[in-house]
Structures are given as structure tokens and as C-alpha cells.
Amino acid sequence: MDRGFFQYQKEFEDKALEVLRSGWYVLGKEVSSFEQEFAAWCGSKYCVGVGNGLDALWMAFRVLGIGPGDEVLVQGNTYIASVMGITINGATPIFVEPDEYYQLDTAKLEALITPRTKAILVVHLYGHNAKMDDVIHLCRKYYLRLVEDCAQSHGSAFNGQKSGTFGDIGCFSFYPSKNLGAFGDGGAIITNNEQIAADFRVLRNYGSEKRYYNKIVGANSRLDELQAGLLRVKLSHLDELNEERRQLADRYSAQIQNKNILLLRERPDTHSVWHQYVIRCRSREALIQHLEERQIGTIIHYPIPPHLSEAYQYLGYGPGSFPITERYANEVLSIPMYNGMSEEEQERVIDALNSFEVIL
Ligand SMILES: *Cc1c(COP(=O)(O)O)cnc(C)c1O
């Protein structure tokens, strides 16, 4: 469990009471203050709070006018919400295999661009970063829109620039387990484009700018005051929380030594926020069992790649369509890593991993 709450318990409780007693619960000063603070923290001009990460994603493509007949390039090994953000609008996801850092393999992008390609959705998976200079080069060359899924990368950076600020729209989730997690659902977008920010404000609120005057068919997708207030507290500590994760990751990277286990490294010139610490193992089932016997829980992010999920059968892919994506799905394993994890707890995980043997 993330111990972030207990670390700053008093601040969270004070803020919760303040919002409860204010009598104002939707779209008020906490949301607008959070939007300003988060935009500034990311190095972006505008932020618009929304209901969750998926809404941020589908509304991003809606605002950009991407829909039926359009193709969006997205990495194959992502959380399914990234893909739903595309398909909810009727657009078609074109999957790209990941590179050795488990991010979109930018060397494979150009060959997939067609006259129907309208955008690239980069997912900064596990808190790492895609090779953004390549992505930007292609977006400029082919006039493509760029959306970033930053649900796992609050504060990660490529060449010193924070994720979410490279393209048209950066989409964030504040689901409790994310690096910047709320105490319920929440999300936001950041953008440097004033019109895009304005469009989002209309879209998230029934398509209305002025109450009861509806310009378009919109959504009800607002970040609420309580979550925004609590997120402001968390944001004020996010640098130290991310730094703590980096230290935990460094320790794992230095001390996990087992020829059956492959570690995920940080790409040079990037600053990872280690949303997950992901290892790879060909004998994953045996490793999970070995860890379970030592009371160490693990999670697979993600066991079924979107192109093989039941929801996307209609796209017509089968096993073998994306071999690297599928291999990762079969081999990846996220080991325990959370703010507040003690040295002793980490030691136990390291010992367990180092004592794992594959019996053939
Ligand atoms: C969590 C997550 C989402 C969805 O966010 P929600 O707030 O749960 O809707 C989207 N993309 C990625 C990569 C995620 O990890």
C-alpha cells in the first residue's frame, strides 16, 4: 500500500475539512488553483481538470477532431485505456511495437504512417519516456497531432523537458495508484494552446460555457473540489515523492542480480519517475510462485495486450500480430515499490529475487 496519505496526513485532513466546510464542491477555487499549479509544475501554459484519465484521452482526440476514418499510432504494450481514448471516437489505433525501454519504438513509426494517419499517442509507460525527439521530428514532417498519455509519468522528463509538454495535449490520470494520486478518480490535460484549453472547459461541462447554454454535446467530466484540494497537497510534495521512487529504483537496479531476471533501465537523457518497477522473466509463473511463498505480492502490467483483448477482437488481430508486445505481456512483472517502502522491505524483495532459480 502507498503510505503517501500517512506521510502528510494532517495536511490532507485539514484540506478535506476546509473543502467540506466551504460548501462549494464542483468547479471552484480548488480546481482553478490546482489547474494553475499543475500547469506551472509541468511547464505548460494551461491545465484543465477532468473526471479521470480515460476522459482526458478521449476528449483529447475529440477536441482535435480525430474520428472515423482516421488512424492514430500508439504503442501496443499499453494499458487499454490509451486505446479506448482513440476508439471511443471511432478512430482506428495502429499499434507500434515497443523498444528495449518498453516505450514506443520510434524507429518503427515512419513505416506505419499513411494518408489516414492523424496523430501519434505516446504513452510514457511505467514512468519512463519515449524518445521524444524522434516523435516530434515525425509529427512535424507529416503534420501529425501529438497526444501524450502521462497517466504514469507525472514529472518524468526527456532532455530536461517534462512529459505532457511536447505536443498538442498531455493527458493525466490521478487514479489513487498513480504518482500523483487522488483519493478517488481524477484527471487533467495540459496544453500550450489556448483554444484547446477553452474547448476542454466546454466539453467537460455538458458543452456549455454559460450555464444552460449548450454549444455542443459534451460530457460531465469535472475534477471535483475535494480531489483538487487534496491533489494540491500531494503536488506540493510530488518532487520529493518522485525522488524517493528514484532512490528505491536505483537500489533495485544495483542489487537485483539474477541471470533469469532482466531489469528495465532508464533511457539516457531521460528522467524516469518509476511509476512501476518492472522486471522480465521467462519463467514468470515460477517466479510469481517463489515470491508468493515469501509473502511478496506482484502485479502484471499488463497480461493481455489491447490487440488481443476481447474488446478489440473487431480489429482482427490474433496471437503473433505483435511479437515483441506479446513477449513483454508474457514476461513482465511489477515488483513492490511504493512511497514509504522501508529499506528492510526492499531488502526482502531483493533477497527473494536473487534466490530464485529456474529448475529445468
Ligand atoms: C491509469 C491509466 C489510464 C487511465 O486513467 P483512469 O484515470 O483510470 O481513467 C490511461 N492510460 C494509462 C497508461 C494508465 O496507466
Side-chain angles (χ1 to χ4, degrees):
M1 191 189 69
D2 189 285
R3 301 192 182 129
F5 170 66
F6 297 102
Q7 222 165 328
Y8 311 106
Q9 184 168 358
K10 178 86 171 65
E11 284 175 71
F12 284 126
E13 289 177 354
D14 287 350
K15 179 54 84 175
L17 283 177
E18 183 191 328
V19 176
L20 290 174
R21 286 168 180 162
S22 75
W24 193 286
Y25 307 125
V26 174
L27 296 187
K29 79 171 186 25
E30 294 295 339
V31 169
S32 56
S33 298
F34 172 74
E35 288 174 342
Q36 278 171 26
E37 289 160 10
F38 190 60
W41 187 82
C42 292
S44 186
K45 276 194 191 153
Y46 307 100
C47 167
V48 182
V50 296
N52 55 67
L54 175 62
D55 284 357
L57 285 159
W58 77 254
M59 293 200 292
F61 293 106
R62 182 71 53 92
V63 162
L64 294 175
I66 292 169
D70 298 333
E71 294 177 355
V72 178
L73 297 167
V74 60
Q75 73 202 63
N77 64 325
T78 184
Y79 181 49
I80 201 158
S82 316
V83 183
M84 289 183 178
I86 299 166
T87 59
I88 284 171
N89 292 291
T92 305
I94 301 295
F95 296 111
V96 188
E97 291 268 50
D99 63 15
E100 62 182 297
Y101 300 99
Y102 304 17
Q103 312 301 308
L104 182 86
D105 188 344
T106 56
K108 300 200 173 108
L109 276 175
E110 194 161 16
L112 296 168
I113 294 172
T114 75
R116 290 179 298 282
T117 310
K118 291 286 153 36
I120 300 177
L121 172 59
V122 172
V123 186
H124 302 292
L125 202 67
Y126 308 143
H128 293 264
N129 278 85
K131 204 167 174 318
M132 293 309 290
D133 48 356
D134 289 354
V135 174
I136 285 161
H137 169 75
L138 289 173
C139 286
R140 293 209 175 119
K141 187 169 169 188
Y142 294 98
Y143 300 98
L144 303 178
R145 299 294 205 157
L146 173 55
V147 179
E148 292 170 79
D149 182 341
C150 307
Q152 305 189 359
S153 65
H154 315 72
S156 77
F158 178 84
N159 281 338
Q161 185 179 343
K162 279 189 181 156
S163 55
T165 63
F166 289 88
D168 297 285
I169 302 170
C171 302
F172 290 84
S173 163
F174 306 126
Y175 184 78
S177 65
K178 311 293 188 186
N179 288 46
L180 178 57
F183 296 84
D185 279 307
I189 62 98
I190 57 171
T191 181
N192 284 322
N193 183 313
E194 192 178 356
Q195 188 58 50
I196 288 176
D199 288 349
F200 257 96
R201 288 183 207 285
V202 170
L203 188 54
R204 75 171 167 185
N205 198 23
Y206 306 113
S208 75
E209 220 160 352
K210 194 173 147 197
R211 202 171 215 180
Y212 307 132
Y213 291 79
N214 304 76
K215 301 208 291 195
I216 54 163
V217 178
N220 171 3
S221 183
R222 302 168 297 215
L223 182 63
D224 67 70
E225 283 286 285
L226 187 58
Q227 297 304 340
L230 297 171
L231 284 165
R232 290 180 69 198
V233 173
K234 191 102 176 236
L235 180 62
S236 72
H237 298 291
L238 189 54
D239 285 325
E240 68 212 48
L241 290 166
N242 278 344
E243 188 49 40
E244 183 189 4
R245 299 183 88 86
R246 284 180 59 82
Q247 282 169 16
L248 291 166
D250 282 349
R251 194 133 182 276
Y252 271 150
S253 300
Q255 296 187 23
I256 299 171
Q257 280 162 358
N258 186 325
K259 63 177 170 21
N260 300 300
I261 295 172
L262 216 87
L263 303 184
L264 166 51
R265 304 284 175 189
E266 189 175 31
R267 187 194 305 279
D269 305 320
T270 64
H271 180 92
S272 172
V273 292
W274 294 97
H275 174 61
Q276 299 292 347
Y277 194 93
V278 175
I279 61 175
R280 248 167 71 207
C281 179
R282 289 210 172 141
S283 311
R284 184 173 65 187
E285 278 318 305
L287 177 59
I288 292 171
Q289 176 113 41
H290 173 87
L291 293 171
E292 255 172 22
E293 281 161 12
R294 287 157 183 78
Q295 275 80 50
I296 295 168
T298 52
I299 310 182
I300 298 167
H301 295 103
Y302 299 92
I304 300 167
H307 74 275
L308 295 182
S309 81
E310 202 181 329
Y312 287 121
Q313 264 181 8
Y314 75 89
L315 293 173
Y317 297 110
S321 303
F322 299 98
I324 303 171
T325 297
E326 290 166 32
R327 175 161 24 106
Y328 286 1
N330 290 327
E331 296 180 1
V332 293
L333 190 64
S334 304
I335 60 173
M337 202 180 81
Y338 42 85
N339 289 114
M341 187 176 197
S342 72
E343 231 178 280
E344 206 182 342
E345 286 168 318
Q346 217 184 356
E347 208 66 62
R348 271 190 354 98
V349 178
I350 293 165
D351 289 346
L353 288 168
N354 290 349
S355 68
F356 173 65
E357 285 176 49
V358 176
I359 301 144
L360 295 172

